[in-house]
Amino acid sequence: MNAGSVWPTPAAKQRLTPIDASGVEIVGGFWARRQRLNREKTIPHGFGQLQRRGPMDNLRLAAGERGRYQAEADSGGSTFPFLDSDVYKWLEAAGWELARGADAILAAAADEAIGVVAAAQRPDGYLNSFVQVVGGGVPYQDLAWGHEFYCVAHLIQAAVAWRRGLGDDRLLTIAGRAVAHIDAEFGARGRPGIDGHPGIEMALVELARVTGEERHLALAERMLGLRGRGLIGPGRFGPEYWQDHEPVREAATVAGHAVRQLYLDCGAVDAAVELGDEELLTAVRRRWNDLARTRTYLTGGTGSRHRDEAFGDPYELPPDRAYTETCAAIASVMLAWRLLLATGEPEYADAIERAMYNGVLSGLSLTGEEFFYINPLQRRTHRAAEQAGHGRRAPWYPCACCPPNLMRLLSSWHHYLATGDESGVQIHQYADADVTAGGIRLAIRTEYPWQGRVTVRVVQTPDRPWTLALRVPAWSRASTGPVVRHSRQWRAGDSVVLDLEPGIRVTAPDPRADAIRGCVAIERGPLVYCLETVDAPAGTELEDLAWDGGRPPGEVPRPDIEPGVVGIDVPVTHSATPLTAGAIPYFAWANRQVEAMRVWIPT
Amino acid sequence: MNAGSVWPTPAAKQRLTPIDASGVEIVGGFWARRQRLNREKTIPHGFGQLQRRGPMDNLRLAAGERGRYQAEADSGGSTFPFLDSDVYKWLEAAGWELARGADAILAAAADEAIGVVAAAQRPDGYLNSFVQVVGGGVPYQDLAWGHEFYCVAHLIQAAVAWRRGLGDDRLLTIAGRAVAHIDAEFGARGRPGIDGHPGIEMALVELARVTGEERHLALAERMLGLRGRGLIGPGRFGPEYWQDHEPVREAATVAGHAVRQLYLDCGAVDAAVELGDEELLTAVRRRWNDLARTRTYLTGGTGSRHRDEAFGDPYELPPDRAYTETCAAIASVMLAWRLLLATGEPEYADAIERAMYNGVLSGLSLTGEEFFYINPLQRRTHRAAEQAGHGRRAPWYPCACCPPNLMRLLSSWHHYLATGDESGVQIHQYADADVTAGGIRLAIRTEYPWQGRVTVRVVQTPDRPWTLALRVPAWSRASTGPVVRHSRQWRAGDSVVLDLEPGIRVTAPDPRADAIRGCVAIERGPLVYCLETVDAPAGTELEDLAWDGGRPPGEVPRPDIEPGVVGIDVPVTHSATPLTAGAIPYFAWANRQVEAMRVWIPT
């Protein structure tokens, strides 16, 4: 058994069943390139950053070594108490990666990190380097901002990955003791307490799933029930910031800090399917609908406010000041995956696709060693923006939640491609991949996202009829409905071809979205495109170009960006002169000369 | 002698000369109403808030009383070390107000405040309640965020008001000792040090002006010279946040925190005119031009970023997420006034008018007892926005810089109306006012801003020719040039009529301003108008209305808002149905039922 990153129990009430992680292998193309980059560049780079920037040393201090605690404090604000979580997220990525294939150097680095984590844990099970080293040593004094449960949540997720992927329980032992410490104080007979940053809810459900211990599910349920009752206080941004303004099963819309809301709703879905709690699931779906309809950028990113990293009002979607944190896009993928499993509805797979190809991948440089925390849809050239860190990719961040979040998602991305059970296999995302489930073995071959043809060949089949279900992306012109189903008694060697049509689309904004009125965006297949200064006609400024509706855009190979990339030549006018500007996929922006960029082009 | 709030020495190099504050009296109309409201409601309300909310008590604690320091801390962020400044700003307002006319109750309140300030000062002259009570008692340990010089700056400004307006030197004695303490450590032979929040530069120049002591000007010059060299460090928002990225005489554009930049440039102009430093003045003018051209909202407000209260990039002017802090609009008035005096150019008076009638006044409710810190140009109806305090006016704020800033500006607003010298009188702002300068006495009568006629009657004249110069606002259709000059040997009883034409204007946005593309705004005279839900056609939502270019807008009396108000009936369509929506002056928004509002209307 080699379960994936979300693995409901057989009793869970849900429509689709994930495939054992070892049952899906990405063997080539777009995503193989990215998984390889993650393994060979990003994850090693991340370990180096964790070693140099403090997070590993902080845990060593907690283990008794001497030195100065590094909380990456800035001179004006508060210190960060949550840096342990970056070590745990990296360990989760390393776990999935080692499950994909052995690597002695990566394994040694992970062993070192696990050893440090084990040494840092107090004899009573408590584990948080900030509290232990500089926070006075008394746990749970600042649940609102302290991130103690949040850090344990990521420890659990790492432990789950190592158990499921490798059968290695070292982290699971540590996590179990840390959770027991929390449970003793905040469990059914303890005081009420929830974390200012959700996350532990989904982790506890997963912990219950891997250990079979119901009490973890009960603690998750308890924490979900306690939220939304003002327990944390208003803080500096109001109770919506941490979703403490309305009970989880009542709040009609997403609100407050985007990552907090989405992590919370991941936990709510996990608990809902295990408990068969339809009401709770319905509440999350209602919020998702609101999010998808009124507060999601074209890139699948979400969160339009810098001040409190929050969703904005409905249709408050400024392209330039989009916050669209990489972690929020990742969290939306995590939530959509859970909703897809629970409901089987392909719209959630569409959302995963849009976010992955655009708002998630934009957070990672093409070299794999630089990141974006914030992913705007427009940048004007201005030094101030660069100095404030909104224009240039960085090798790491003082608050480095996003880089290891990208690592763990990419290292487990194959989990998200397909589901399967006795009735057959459902393919949700397209990649060159081999899929094995329930005696069925498929070879999927495609040049997606650059070309629309997907060939699924049956390599092995059981001796009974089953159904192959293929998602048709919402953007495809094919009038087939959202899913194509082939049901038959298959034979080895059979194959099915799905021809999607990734033609160029000129997308008009919702008229209620004020900030992008009078503009269009260019899309092709699952990809959103953008203009960058370096591809603008010579002698023009990006801000002076307008869309020329009288001429059609055209496809053009852009191997200068990356092998296989299809660029788009965009017809524009500059002072009434017809010119052409080169558009590239949004995820690839800010990898060359860094100047202006825009997704939405004035008409 | 009863000098105004900016009073250059005779040696200063500047074009216009302010009029002794007692030489201008607003006697009726729009601004008399607002000065009366300020005196009778806002200033007494402010004293009550200062008493109840901590600032007065904090100074009492510094004076030795016992109690808990109230820094209006929020549970997640840092405590505010700058609340003393609110007491000083209030005292400045009270000083100007008492100079306008005696008031025993106001005088008693001010005496109490002055007594508390005096008692709080340490024997060595140091004065800052935060450092003295909760900050460990050691001065100047955190120049970046501590606001110690900033607080002394406002103490100086209050002291200057009390000296100039009332000849009362109690505060001047206190301020002089506080400055001496700073000078001893940071003066010419001391260590280099500048405050993270500029302000003391202009205060020191004014202190030099009232005391005749050159060393204060020298300290201001030193601090201006030290800024822009990385002395403060990057902080959490980068060195531009506090204008420490480029030297004051080199920076080409405004940058960072809006109020910090504008206060800094006020000090730079003050020093430049006293020192005859043309290069420094030119640098400020260059920044002003950039600000006016690329980063100023239609309302005269400035600053488009919530996160760091900063100017955005050029043309980054989102109406919904406009930060446009009331203090920034006030600071722009302070800077434009200094530039007007220095250069004589009427564009600066135009800027004062636009900011005062729109972005400044919007910060104050029509009742005079509620405020806006943030002044957006659009609000969608959403509970989250209200909870975050962006939708409803508040009686005070944890960071209450804006309310007493409004008080001191309104109590000294008559200073800004006119200048005069041997050559005559220059009228920059129109109000029912009596002006006396250099033997000339004028009675200005007008129903401005509602009507455009201004009558200036000569009540008294010296026996020599002189020139009456009248600014023609940039918005007036009259093709007269920006200033009308009448030069002659005047006789008492002579009068001049200026007929401005405050017709309705339909204003298109700059095409480079992305966030308001495809919209128009309504203006009339100096006023920007807005739509509010309460004036939308029955059964419609503001967000569903579009401008109907086929029908003209019309004027309509709106005494329901305030006597004399001219409203505008705006032709709109709703699902192709022609309807009419009522627009009111922007400054009056959010005084009735609080729902949606917008200045820019989609076409």
Side-chain angles (χ1 to χ4, degrees):
Chain A
M1 234 293 275
N2 195 347
S5 58
V6 177
W7 198 256
T9 63
K13 193 162 178 186
Q14 61 178 23
R15 296 287 299 276
L16 300 178
T17 306
I19 294 177
D20 187 314
S22 59
V24 185
E25 183 182 4
I26 299 175
V27 297
F30 187 90
W31 287 111
R33 181 186 186 88
R34 280 167 172 76
Q35 283 202 323
R36 190 169 57 245
L37 194 73
N38 187 48
R39 182 184 183 92
E40 295 175 0
K41 298 285 184 186
T42 315
I43 290 176
H45 168 83
F47 189 72
Q49 294 290 322
L50 292 170
Q51 289 277 31
R52 275 197 298 281
R53 296 247 190 173
M56 287 283 287
D57 282 341
N58 291 343
L59 287 161
R60 291 189 183 98
L61 297 183
E65 290 189 22
R66 292 199 176 177
R68 183 173 159 277
Y69 195 83
Q70 291 177 50
E72 291 274 2
D74 46 51
S75 56
S78 44
T79 51
F80 293 141
F82 45 69
L83 299 190
D84 291 358
S85 66
D86 297 333
V87 175
Y88 304 148
K89 279 193 221 173
W90 181 87
L91 275 169
E92 183 186 340
W96 295 127
E97 213 42 58
L98 291 170
R100 291 210 309 128
D103 180 320
I105 292 175
L106 178 58
D111 285 348
E112 181 181 345
I114 292 172
V116 168
V117 172
Q121 188 166 38
R122 293 200 320 205
D124 65 356
Y126 183 76
L127 174 51
N128 181 289
S129 77
F130 185 84
V131 168
Q132 290 171 240
V133 180
V134 292
V138 183
Y140 316 131
Q141 296 301 296
D142 181 17
L143 291 182
W145 295 102
H147 289 74
E148 288 161 278
F149 298 176
Y150 169 87
C151 287
V152 170
H154 282 297
L155 172 62
I156 295 169
Q157 299 279 20
V160 166
W162 280 74
R163 152 67 75 93
R164 288 197 185 134
L166 297 158
D168 184 323
D169 281 357
R170 286 177 291 169
L171 285 170
L172 199 60
T173 303
I174 299 168
R177 296 177 60 219
V179 169
H181 194 275
I182 292 172
D183 206 10
E185 184 153 349
F186 298 97
R189 284 182 303 274
R191 65 176 171 113
I194 53 175
D195 196 287
H197 200 312
I200 196 167
E201 300 81 4
M202 65 176 139
L204 286 169
V205 178
E206 287 275 88
L207 185 63
R209 288 166 172 170
V210 297
T211 63
E213 294 175 15
E214 288 281 336
R215 64 192 164 90
H216 303 311
L217 177 59
L219 184 56
E221 190 183 4
R222 174 171 159 83
M223 288 178 172
L224 286 165
L226 286 169
R227 193 171 293 267
R229 303 174 193 285
L231 196 57
I232 323 181
R236 67 192 305 181
F237 300 123
E240 298 207 354
Y241 175 73
W242 30 50
Q243 294 77 46
D244 198 28
H245 61 301
E246 283 180 305
V248 175
R249 64 180 67 240
E250 291 174 20
T253 69
V254 295
H257 186 275
V259 176
R260 282 172 164 82
Q261 174 77 70
L262 295 169
Y263 278 11
L264 176 66
D265 279 350
C266 284
V269 175
D270 287 341
V273 298
E274 293 298 339
L275 297 164
D277 187 337
E278 287 287 347
E279 185 191 61
L280 184 56
L281 180 63
T282 300
V284 177
R285 296 188 66 185
R286 189 170 56 224
R287 284 193 287 277
W288 174 275
N289 288 342
D290 165 68
L291 172 67
R293 193 172 51 84
T294 72
R295 290 175 238 235
T296 301
Y297 283 89
L298 194 66
T299 56
T302 192
S304 54
R305 295 191 176 172
H306 283 238
R307 179 170 168 271
D308 49 356
E309 307 187 308
F311 303 108
D313 287 342
Y315 305 104
E316 180 187 320
L317 298 166
D320 50 350
R321 289 296 283 172
Y323 194 70
T324 42
E325 183 185 340
T326 303
C327 281
I330 291 171
S332 81
V333 169
M334 293 163 59
L335 177 55
W337 174 243
R338 285 161 167 82
L339 289 168
L340 177 65
L341 294 179
T343 68
E345 295 185 7
E347 66 177 281
Y348 297 114
D350 282 335
I352 290 172
E353 179 179 89
R354 182 171 287 278
M356 280 303 288
Y357 279 100
N358 301 288
V360 171
L361 276 191
S362 63
L364 183 63
S365 74
L366 297 179
T367 65
E369 295 182 340
E370 290 192 311
F371 307 93
F372 268 147
Y373 190 108
I374 295 166
N375 297 274
L377 282 74
Q378 176 181 6
R379 205 186 64 150
R380 298 178 185 83
T381 299
H382 191 248
R383 205 166 48 82
E386 293 176 24
Q387 291 202 346
H390 301 157
R392 293 195 181 281
R393 295 178 181 277
W396 207 248
Y397 287 92
C399 171
C401 48
C402 301
N405 225 355
L406 281 162
M407 294 172 207
R408 67 181 187 138
L409 177 59
L410 287 168
S411 64
S412 60
W413 172 235
H414 48 296
H415 299 172
Y416 296 78
L417 302 193
T419 52
D421 54 25
E422 291 298 303
S423 74
V425 174
Q426 304 86 41
I427 300 176
H428 307 290
Q429 307 296 339
Y430 296 109
D432 266 8
D434 292 339
V435 173
T436 309
I440 301 164
R441 181 158 205 154
L442 305 175
I444 307 166
R445 296 296 179 268
T446 181
E447 290 179 57
Y448 205 86
W450 311 118
Q451 308 305 332
R453 169 159 291 199
V454 180
T455 303
V456 182
R457 193 165 56 83
V458 177
V459 178
Q460 182 185 310
T461 175
D463 186 26
R464 54 174 164 77
W466 52 272
T467 301
L468 174 65
L470 304 170
R471 178 180 66 97
V472 179
W475 52 260
S476 176
R477 292 176 191 147
S479 52
T480 51
V483 179
V484 174
R485 288 187 176 80
H486 301 272
S487 302
R488 71 182 75 152
Q489 172 60 59
W490 299 85
R491 278 179 292 197
D494 284 353
S495 72
V496 165
V497 173
L498 178 69
D499 267 318
L500 304 170
E501 293 175 41
I504 298 171
R505 307 192 302 286
V506 180
T507 305
D510 187 299
R512 288 161 294 192
D514 289 290
I516 48 178
R517 187 172 284 117
C519 292
V520 294
I522 310 297
E523 297 182 273
R524 182 181 181 278
L527 297 165
V528 174
Y529 281 70
C530 67
L531 298 180
E532 282 193 291
T533 300
V534 62
D535 296 318
T540 68
E541 293 287 333
L542 210 52
E543 296 297 302
D544 297 330
L545 303 179
W547 172 259
D548 182 354
R551 292 178 291 142
E555 297 179 1
V556 58
R558 289 298 299 268
D560 56 310
I561 303 296
E562 187 175 288
V565 170
V566 176
I568 297 177
D569 276 352
V570 174
V572 294
T573 56
H574 179 268
S575 308
T577 306
L579 298 169
T580 298
I584 63 166
Y586 170 75
F587 74 75
W589 86 282
N591 278 285
R592 299 171 294 167
Q593 192 179 335
V594 178
E595 294 183 46
M597 180 277 291
R598 61 188 307 155
V599 167
W600 291 99
I601 307 165
T603 54
Chain B
M1 232 300 274
N2 195 347
S5 60
V6 177
W7 198 256
T9 62
K13 192 164 180 186
Q14 62 177 23
R15 296 287 299 275
L16 300 177
T17 307
I19 294 177
D20 187 315
S22 60
V24 184
E25 185 183 2
I26 298 173
V27 297
F30 186 91
W31 287 111
R33 180 187 186 89
R34 279 166 173 78
Q35 282 202 322
R36 190 168 59 245
L37 194 74
N38 187 47
R39 182 183 183 93
E40 294 175 0
K41 297 285 184 189
T42 315
I43 290 176
H45 168 83
F47 189 71
Q49 294 290 321
L50 293 170
Q51 289 276 29
R52 276 199 297 281
R53 295 247 190 174
M56 288 283 287
D57 282 341
N58 290 344
L59 288 162
R60 290 189 183 99
L61 297 182
E65 290 188 22
R66 294 201 174 174
R68 182 173 160 277
Y69 195 82
Q70 292 177 47
E72 292 273 4
D74 44 53
S75 56
S78 44
T79 52
F80 293 142
F82 46 69
L83 300 189
D84 292 357
S85 65
D86 297 333
V87 176
Y88 304 147
K89 280 193 221 172
W90 182 88
L91 275 169
E92 183 185 340
W96 296 126
E97 215 39 59
L98 291 170
R100 291 210 309 128
D103 180 319
I105 292 175
L106 178 58
D111 284 348
E112 182 182 343
I114 292 172
V116 168
V117 172
Q121 188 167 38
R122 291 201 321 204
D124 66 354
Y126 182 77
L127 175 52
N128 182 289
S129 76
F130 184 84
V131 168
Q132 291 170 240
V133 180
V134 292
V138 182
Y140 317 130
Q141 296 301 296
D142 182 16
L143 291 182
W145 296 101
H147 288 73
E148 288 162 280
F149 299 175
Y150 170 88
C151 287
V152 170
H154 282 296
L155 173 62
I156 294 170
Q157 299 279 21
V160 166
W162 281 73
R163 151 65 77 89
R164 288 198 185 134
L166 298 158
D168 184 323
D169 281 357
R170 286 177 292 170
L171 285 170
L172 198 59
T173 303
I174 300 168
R177 295 178 59 220
V179 169
H181 194 275
I182 292 171
D183 206 9
E185 186 153 348
F186 299 96
R189 284 182 302 275
R191 66 178 171 115
I194 54 175
D195 196 287
H197 200 312
I200 196 167
E201 301 80 4
M202 64 176 140
L204 286 169
V205 178
E206 287 276 87
L207 185 63
R209 287 165 172 170
V210 297
T211 62
E213 294 174 13
E214 288 282 336
R215 65 192 164 92
H216 302 311
L217 177 59
L219 185 56
E221 191 183 2
R222 174 172 159 81
M223 288 178 172
L224 286 165
L226 287 169
R227 193 171 294 268
R229 301 173 194 285
L231 197 56
I232 323 181
R236 67 193 303 181
F237 300 123
E240 300 208 352
Y241 175 73
W242 30 49
Q243 293 77 47
D244 198 28
H245 61 302
E246 284 181 304
V248 175
R249 65 181 66 240
E250 290 174 21
T253 69
V254 296
H257 187 276
V259 176
R260 282 173 164 82
Q261 174 76 70
L262 295 169
Y263 278 10
L264 177 66
D265 279 351
C266 284
V269 176
D270 286 342
V273 299
E274 293 298 340
L275 297 165
D277 187 337
E278 287 287 348
E279 184 191 62
L280 185 55
L281 180 62
T282 300
V284 177
R285 296 188 66 185
R286 188 172 56 223
R287 284 195 287 276
W288 174 274
N289 288 342
D290 164 69
L291 171 66
R293 193 171 51 83
T294 73
R295 291 177 236 233
T296 301
Y297 284 89
L298 195 66
T299 56
T302 191
S304 54
R305 295 191 177 172
H306 283 238
R307 180 170 167 270
D308 49 356
E309 307 188 307
F311 302 109
D313 287 341
Y315 305 104
E316 181 187 319
L317 297 166
D320 50 350
R321 290 295 285 173
Y323 194 71
T324 43
E325 182 184 342
T326 304
C327 280
I330 291 170
S332 80
V333 169
M334 293 163 58
L335 177 55
W337 174 241
R338 285 162 167 81
L339 289 168
L340 177 64
L341 294 178
T343 68
E345 294 183 8
E347 68 178 280
Y348 297 114
D350 283 334
I352 290 171
E353 180 179 89
R354 181 170 289 276
M356 280 301 289
Y357 279 100
N358 302 289
V360 171
L361 277 190
S362 63
L364 183 63
S365 74
L366 297 178
T367 64
E369 294 182 338
E370 290 193 311
F371 308 93
F372 268 147
Y373 189 107
I374 295 166
N375 297 274
L377 282 74
Q378 175 181 6
R379 206 186 64 149
R380 298 177 185 84
T381 299
H382 191 247
R383 202 167 51 83
E386 293 177 25
Q387 291 201 347
H390 301 156
R392 293 195 182 281
R393 295 178 181 278
W396 206 248
Y397 287 92
C399 171
C401 48
C402 300
N405 224 355
L406 282 162
M407 295 173 206
R408 67 182 186 135
L409 177 59
L410 288 168
S411 65
S412 62
W413 171 235
H414 48 297
H415 300 171
Y416 295 79
L417 303 193
T419 51
D421 55 25
E422 290 298 301
S423 73
V425 173
Q426 304 87 40
I427 300 177
H428 306 291
Q429 306 296 338
Y430 296 108
D432 266 9
D434 293 339
V435 173
T436 309
I440 301 163
R441 183 159 202 148
L442 305 174
I444 307 165
R445 295 297 179 268
T446 180
E447 289 180 57
Y448 205 87
W450 311 118
Q451 308 304 331
R453 170 159 291 199
V454 180
T455 303
V456 182
R457 192 164 55 83
V458 177
V459 177
Q460 184 186 307
T461 175
D463 186 25
R464 54 174 166 77
W466 52 272
T467 301
L468 175 65
L470 303 171
R471 178 179 66 97
V472 178
W475 52 260
S476 177
R477 292 175 191 149
S479 52
T480 52
V483 179
V484 174
R485 288 187 176 80
H486 300 272
S487 302
R488 70 181 76 153
Q489 172 59 61
W490 298 86
R491 277 179 293 197
D494 283 354
S495 72
V496 165
V497 173
L498 178 69
D499 267 318
L500 304 169
E501 292 175 41
I504 298 170
R505 308 192 301 287
V506 180
T507 305
D510 187 298
R512 287 162 294 192
D514 289 290
I516 48 178
R517 187 172 285 116
C519 293
V520 294
I522 311 296
E523 297 182 273
R524 183 180 179 279
L527 297 165
V528 173
Y529 281 70
C530 68
L531 298 180
E532 284 192 290
T533 300
V534 61
D535 296 319
T540 69
E541 293 287 333
L542 211 52
E543 296 296 303
D544 298 328
L545 302 180
W547 172 259
D548 181 355
R551 292 177 293 142
E555 297 179 1
V556 57
R558 288 299 297 270
D560 56 310
I561 302 294
E562 185 176 288
V565 170
V566 176
I568 297 176
D569 276 354
V570 175
V572 293
T573 57
H574 180 267
S575 307
T577 307
L579 297 168
T580 299
I584 64 166
Y586 170 75
F587 74 76
W589 86 281
N591 277 285
R592 299 171 296 167
Q593 194 180 331
V594 177
E595 294 183 46
M597 180 277 292
R598 61 187 308 155
V599 167
W600 291 99
I601 308 165
T603 52

